[in-house]
Amino acid sequence: MAENEHVPHVRVAVVGSGFGGLGAAVRLRREGITDFVVLERADSVGGTWRDNSYPGCACDVPSHLYSFSFAPNPDWPRTFSGQEHIRAYLEHVTDVFRLRPHIRFGSEVKLMTWDTQKLRWAIETSSGRLTADVVVSATGPLSDPKIPQIPGLDGFPGKVFHSARWDHDYDLRGKRVAMVGTGASAIQIVPSIQPDVAHLTLLQRTPPWVLPRVDRAIGRFEQGLHRALPFTTRLRRGLLWGIRELQVQAFTKHPDELGLVERMARRNIARAIKDPELRAALTPDYRIGCKRILLSNTYYPALAQPNVDVVAAGLSEVRGSTVVAADGSEAEVDAIVFGTGFHVTDMPIAERVVGVDGRTLAEAWKDGMKALRGASAAGFPNWMTIIGPNTGLGNSSMILMIESQLNYMADFLRQLDVLGGRAALDARAAAVDAWNHSVQERMKRTVWNTGGCTSWYLDAAGRNTTVWPGTTTEFRSATRRVELAEYEVLRAPAGATGTDGARTDTADTADTEKTATVEATRA
């Protein structure tokens, strides 16, 4: 950095503009903080709901629960809305809460380094440099696609892409397509493309449990009722939330209680799949709930069509235009679509965060991700993450967890204000370890750890560093406020005023609406 170079400085830098990043931005404005930026690598907001635009993309959580409590939307068109409606909702939240002046599009974070002298983060992005007192990382676990290293894949002459990077310029009609993976994206893609492709080969390493999707259109009368009587939207949301809270103990304490749900899933297979051999291949051998339970009315019927082959083995090799499964099965294809998930337990952003001792967050987490209350990592002061370690859910809406973490973020900033001067909070290693130990002890009896499967919830060592082993109510209580005893208070050395930074207010300081009714743009 040049000696006389003036680098913009903000109080808070938010990384990412999906639900977590936009939620953080709204909460900052509602707390009266306007000195912040949102760093977004793409050219629009939306996060995973911008990146995932594959055919059939939709949410498996009811719309009225998969939205911010402070921005209810009475005009959801379906009980389970599609990608285009969720993305439109996020665009509208951005406009209603006047967030665009804060957002720096085309600003991918390359490096974040903690300055121990000035107690601030030095941030390098693809659009320039800045410094920040606090960093809120909201990149999310479903942002960086994972494509396995397959021998011969580089020599495949056809088209290859991941479900989260769908190539809309490539026409699959009349093509021979290999679908790799059977996760949440794959079960939506398969029935969407099956009628148009010449042949579809599904390479299935492990079959998922799939329940019927109770989806329907929401009519104008129903939308009008929610608009005229806002409490009905809150009531609907509360009922959806309450039902899922009651289900939690079956996942976390008494997995045997999921037997009835498993029988429902078996009947769902039997109704659509008459071939006993195919039915056996599609029936999991692990407890339902161990992997995420998927919802679809069209997945099994699509697999029963004559232009679909289900190969009960993963992709092991590509020879020219031939895909070879682990069981030796071969198929000639024109395109390979990977529905193989994301870098969840090895998030790439961790390699770009350098803490007090010069270690990256990835190095600190080499034995497994862990963060105090899912937010703060030891040795990384004034840095917190939204949807951090052990904050995922197996049966409810992540927006509930995000809003709880926003409460924690808001109190974190209040505590810094109370401390006054140039101060920083660094999570104590003992506090992080104690929190992580408690979470992992609770995890031992959950279906995710005892159900007999290998899922993306587990890291390379088999530790579940992804899911929260309790109710959303418990997590909200645990993140209601910052306990200063769990942090070390850092003070800047004498003379380290940090006056080289040019503090900039990135938006007008007008009061932001406390709540807003958001009308999602209809596709």
Side-chain angles (χ1 to χ4, degrees):
M1 184 183 301
E3 183 176 350
N4 295 323
E5 181 182 356
H6 288 284
V7 178
H9 180 78
V10 292
R11 184 180 183 194
V12 183
V14 179
V15 186
S17 67
F19 266 102
L22 294 179
V26 172
R27 186 57 183 267
L28 289 170
R29 285 192 59 100
R30 295 177 73 192
E31 292 290 320
I33 299 171
T34 59
D35 184 17
F36 70 91
V37 295
V38 178
L39 302 172
E40 170 55 57
R41 66 185 177 185
D43 59 2
S44 60
V45 302
T48 191
W49 294 106
R50 174 200 59 233
D51 296 341
N52 286 268
S53 60
Y54 58 78
C57 183
C59 190
D60 60 1
V61 175
S63 305
H64 288 86
L65 191 59
Y66 198 78
S67 47
F68 291 121
S69 63
F70 54 78
N73 176 23
D75 292 333
W76 287 116
R78 303 195 65 84
T79 51
F80 291 88
S81 291
Q83 173 264 346
E84 67 275 19
H85 302 114
I86 298 172
R87 184 178 181 184
Y89 170 78
L90 291 173
E91 291 278 1
H92 212 129
V93 166
T94 303
D95 292 330
V96 166
F97 288 94
R98 296 177 295 197
L99 302 181
R100 293 196 188 276
H102 296 276
I103 303 174
R104 302 291 181 262
F105 293 114
S107 298
E108 181 177 8
V109 171
K110 300 295 186 180
L111 187 65
M112 292 186 281
T113 305
W114 177 250
D115 187 328
T116 57
Q117 294 299 309
K118 298 175 181 176
L119 295 189
R120 61 175 46 167
W121 287 95
I123 306 170
E124 299 178 21
T125 78
S126 56
S127 65
R129 303 184 185 208
L130 72 152
T131 59
D133 294 332
V134 177
V135 168
V136 178
S137 180
T139 57
L142 306 182
S143 57
D144 291 285
K146 177 185 290 186
I147 294 182
Q149 293 183 346
I150 305 296
L153 183 61
D154 290 344
F156 179 67
K159 193 69 178 179
V160 178
F161 52 85
H162 191 278
S163 59
R165 300 292 184 268
W166 196 270
D167 189 339
H168 292 278
D169 294 328
Y170 184 77
D171 191 352
L172 290 177
R173 289 178 296 182
K175 301 292 196 307
R176 299 166 299 175
V177 181
M179 180 77 224
V180 183
T182 53
S185 300
I187 72 157
Q188 295 178 342
I189 292 170
V190 165
S192 298
I193 66 174
Q194 175 270 319
D196 297 322
V197 302
H199 195 272
L200 179 62
T201 301
L202 177 67
L203 293 154
Q204 170 191 273
R205 188 172 58 181
T206 307
W209 284 111
V210 182
L211 290 174
R213 184 182 181 87
V214 187
D215 186 26
R216 63 174 178 82
I218 299 176
R220 291 188 177 182
F221 173 80
E222 203 171 340
Q223 292 173 345
L225 178 66
H226 288 325
R227 179 177 291 281
L229 302 173
F231 79 89
T232 61
T233 306
R234 294 193 296 272
L235 177 62
R236 183 175 191 158
R237 179 185 176 89
L239 288 173
L240 292 168
W241 165 77
I243 291 170
R244 282 157 180 77
E245 289 290 272
L246 293 174
Q247 296 171 345
V248 169
Q249 71 170 359
F251 289 84
T252 60
K253 297 179 181 178
H254 308 292
D256 288 342
E257 294 180 1
L258 292 165
L260 174 61
V261 181
E262 189 169 305
R263 289 194 291 273
M264 292 171 56
R266 289 181 183 275
R267 286 198 297 269
N268 192 37
I269 299 174
R271 277 194 297 267
I273 306 297
K274 304 307 179 184
D275 179 356
E277 186 175 339
L278 178 58
R279 190 187 309 162
L282 295 174
T283 302
D285 61 0
Y286 55 86
R287 170 67 76 187
I288 193 169
C290 185
K291 290 175 177 283
R292 188 174 180 94
I293 301 172
L294 307 181
L295 306 177
S296 177
N297 299 325
T298 55
Y299 178 62
Y300 290 137
L303 297 184
Q305 298 306 307
N307 69 330
V308 178
D309 283 332
V310 176
V311 178
L315 178 62
S316 65
E317 185 182 357
V318 177
R319 300 175 191 155
S321 59
T322 302
V323 293
V324 183
D327 65 356
S329 302
E330 297 183 1
E332 292 282 326
V333 297
D334 304 303
I336 303 174
V337 179
F338 284 93
T340 45
F342 301 84
H343 290 276
V344 175
T345 59
D346 57 342
M347 294 186 291
I349 190 67
E351 298 174 355
R352 308 177 187 186
V353 183
V354 181
V356 293
D357 58 1
R359 285 196 308 166
T360 66
L361 185 61
E363 291 170 331
W365 282 352
K366 64 181 175 62
D367 294 325
M369 298 191 302
K370 55 182 178 180
L372 177 62
R373 302 180 190 273
S376 301
F380 299 84
N382 283 11
W383 184 92
M384 55 188 2
T385 181
I386 306 296
I387 316 184
N390 290 113
T391 60
L393 294 176
N395 75 313
S396 191
S397 172
M398 279 305 302
I399 313 307
L400 301 170
M401 302 295 279
I402 288 172
E403 291 195 22
S404 292
Q405 290 200 289
L406 298 182
N407 290 340
Y408 196 74
M409 176 198 75
D411 197 52
F412 189 98
L413 292 167
R414 291 189 206 110
Q415 295 297 335
L416 288 175
D417 284 343
V418 170
L419 290 170
R422 294 198 59 76
L425 293 175
D426 187 7
R428 296 181 183 275
V432 175
D433 289 341
W435 172 264
N436 185 62
H437 177 74
S438 173
V439 169
Q440 293 303 322
E441 283 297 305
R442 294 181 63 182
M443 196 70 71
K444 289 180 179 179
R445 62 193 296 188
T446 68
V447 69
W448 307 302
N449 279 36
T450 65
C453 73
T454 300
S455 72
W456 59 266
Y457 298 149
L458 309 180
D459 64 17
R463 289 179 291 261
N464 192 327
T465 58
T466 305
V467 186
W468 168 245
T471 65
T472 62
T473 302
E474 289 176 291
F475 189 76
R476 176 151 295 201
S477 176
T479 54
R480 191 173 302 280
R481 63 180 59 87
V482 169
E483 299 293 341
L484 278 181
E486 296 180 328
Y487 287 85
E488 180 182 357
V489 178
L490 307 180
R491 292 286 185 181
T497 61
T499 55
D500 60 314
R503 179 171 292 276
T504 58
D505 208 6
T506 59
D508 62 274
T509 57
D511 289 339
T512 303
E513 295 85 351
K514 294 299 180 184
T515 56
T517 296
V518 179
E519 302 175 12
T521 306
R522 291 189 178 89

